[in-house]
Amino acid sequence: MTESSKLLLFTGSYSGAGESGIHVFQFDPSGGALTLLDEVNGIANPTFVNVNAQGHLLYAIGDKQNEEGVKEGEVAAYAIDPASGVLTEISRTGTMPAEGKKQTSTCHINRDAGNRYLIVTSYHGGNIGLVSLDGEGHTVRLTSSAVHTGHGPHPERQDRPHPHSATFSPDERFLFVCDLGLDVIRAYTINYEKGTLEPHGDTKLHPGAGPRHFAFHPDGHSAYVINEVDSTITSFTYEAGSGTLRTVLTVPTLPKDFALENTCAEIALSPDGRYLYGSNRGHDSIVVFAVNPATAELDLVEHVSTRGGHPRHFTLTPDGGYLIVANRDANNLVVFARDNESGRLTFTGNEAEVSKPVCIKPALF
């Protein structure tokens, strides 16, 4: 970060429409202090956000009810004032309509680099949707959706499809969707002329894995998925030309002596690609692995307490100097300093209070 740049953090939370569900913080790179700049209500459960820093825009998913009282997804766009951090809503669009009693509320949002589409993921509905954007970044309409079918071996967690995230390949030729219910990472392409999602192929995980979130190595030659159901991380080598993944290995995210309930959530790599981080909910920790980028093999470095319950999400600052955790059940954001050489984390003493935070996204202005 340069002396003139400002790092803002945007958080999403579980909240009612009348509560503050989106918060904006300024981050102090000299020590990790967080200063609240703005908070927004009027949208229910903005549990995942996406930032277009260049366009000064924030997108947030939300819930609404249809006439039959069934939950459906929506997405809201906000203009960001970089000087003050204040958000102003500029558009709102419904995403996937519910079918009968099956809710289609969403859990994840992403955006292509050309700012043409948002990609929304419905965990409960088993759908992936494309929402078009206009030239000014306003949300327009749902142009396409893809429906997953089937189930996995776990009788409760995998009784039906549960797509949980959509991640672009580094060149954005392919979109990889983690389906927790099917033990599959399904690849799509986007037909930009027709505004449609087109299936490309599946990568199967081991039974009962429950793939949730997915991350590419900065060099683009490997990729990693965190498996929510069985608390593991699986690594792959990646062939960019064909958009295919080859499984390398699977490692546990938990210490050998931990026998209580746990589910995994977020995964991220350091900017230099030397270290990988994952969150454990139950053990309430960040697991740290050293990465061999040539082979996609992982070596355990440490487990670090998140100093709060249910770390559903975390983020690394763009320079890799800090890691900030969103602990849903502790109602706090916790700031850790990150050692670039060892990958290890140290609590800075800085925290911020937020009700039920479950997403945190940084952006430089």
Side-chain angles (χ1 to χ4, degrees):
M1 289 182 284
T2 64
E3 291 184 3
S4 60
S5 64
K6 176 189 292 186
L7 181 60
L8 300 183
L9 301 177
F10 301 86
T11 69
S13 302
Y14 281 113
S15 63
E19 303 170 308
S20 295
I22 301 172
H23 293 77
V24 185
F25 291 87
Q26 183 168 345
F27 183 83
D28 179 3
S30 65
L34 297 169
T35 302
L36 180 65
L37 300 180
D38 193 25
E39 49 190 308
V40 175
N41 57 22
I43 183 168
N45 294 326
T47 55
F48 218 86
V49 300
N50 177 273
V51 189
N52 176 353
Q54 185 176 5
H56 297 176
L57 294 166
L58 177 79
Y59 299 99
I61 58 172
D63 291 344
K64 63 186 182 74
Q65 290 190 343
N66 65 14
E67 295 179 353
E68 286 73 39
V70 182
K71 280 187 179 181
E72 297 179 334
E74 63 177 356
V75 61
Y78 301 86
I80 303 167
D81 181 342
S84 66
V86 171
L87 302 178
T88 303
E89 185 173 334
I90 60 172
S91 69
R92 189 177 299 212
T93 300
T95 52
M96 291 167 282
E99 300 176 1
K101 296 296 184 180
K102 184 175 73 171
Q103 62 173 292
T104 54
S105 56
T106 49
C107 63
H108 189 270
I109 184 172
N110 205 343
R111 173 182 48 86
D112 72 307
N115 305 311
R116 291 167 287 184
Y117 290 100
L118 300 173
I119 301 89
V120 292
T121 306
S122 176
Y123 176 90
H124 294 289
N127 302 54
I128 313 299
L130 279 183
V131 177
S132 59
L133 301 171
D134 67 15
E136 296 181 344
H138 296 76
T139 55
V140 179
R141 66 183 180 90
L142 179 73
T143 67
S144 176
S145 61
V147 181
H148 291 191
T149 59
H151 63 85
H154 194 290
E156 296 175 358
R157 301 300 314 282
Q158 298 180 310
D159 60 326
R160 61 188 187 277
H162 288 306
H164 216 306
S165 62
T167 304
F168 280 104
S169 60
D171 60 8
E172 292 206 345
R173 291 178 58 221
F174 305 101
L175 184 70
F176 291 87
V177 175
C178 293
D179 195 312
L180 180 151
L182 303 183
D183 290 328
V184 160
I185 301 173
R186 180 159 295 165
Y188 290 89
T189 58
I190 297 177
N191 186 320
Y192 285 97
E193 291 183 1
K194 297 180 180 179
T196 56
L197 283 166
E198 300 182 357
H200 176 70
D202 286 356
T203 301
K204 294 183 179 181
L205 277 294
H206 56 276
R212 177 186 171 102
H213 283 190
F214 185 69
F216 278 93
H217 192 277
D219 69 11
H221 298 309
S222 61
Y224 308 81
V225 66
I226 193 160
N227 300 311
E228 176 177 332
V229 176
D230 74 350
S231 298
T232 61
I233 290 173
T234 300
S235 65
F236 310 88
T237 54
Y238 178 62
E239 173 51 53
S242 60
T244 54
L245 300 165
R246 183 182 67 82
T247 303
V248 175
L249 56 76
T250 297
V251 295
T253 65
L254 294 169
K256 292 180 180 180
D257 59 354
F258 185 80
L260 302 178
E261 183 177 351
N262 186 81
T263 57
C264 288
E266 177 62 341
I267 188 170
L269 287 121
S270 59
D272 62 8
R274 295 172 61 194
Y275 295 97
L276 182 144
Y277 300 84
S279 64
N280 286 305
R281 300 173 296 178
H283 189 246
D284 296 335
S285 66
I286 300 294
V287 61
V288 185
F289 291 96
V291 177
N292 182 332
T295 62
E297 294 177 334
L298 302 172
D299 291 313
L300 178 66
V301 174
E302 65 174 347
H303 292 87
V304 178
S305 169
T306 58
R307 306 180 70 87
H310 201 94
R312 177 162 169 151
H313 201 256
F314 65 87
T315 192
L316 290 160
T317 55
D319 64 359
Y322 294 91
L323 185 147
I324 305 105
V325 181
N327 289 311
R328 187 197 68 182
D329 292 353
N331 301 311
N332 66 355
L333 308 178
V334 181
V335 182
F336 295 87
R338 194 186 76 89
D339 183 83
N340 187 59
E341 291 304 314
S342 68
R344 293 178 178 270
L345 304 175
T346 304
F347 177 49
T348 62
N350 290 303
E351 298 185 26
E353 183 178 351
V354 177
S355 177
K356 298 179 181 178
V358 288
C359 180
I360 180 167
K361 291 286 186 175
L364 280 171
F365 294 90

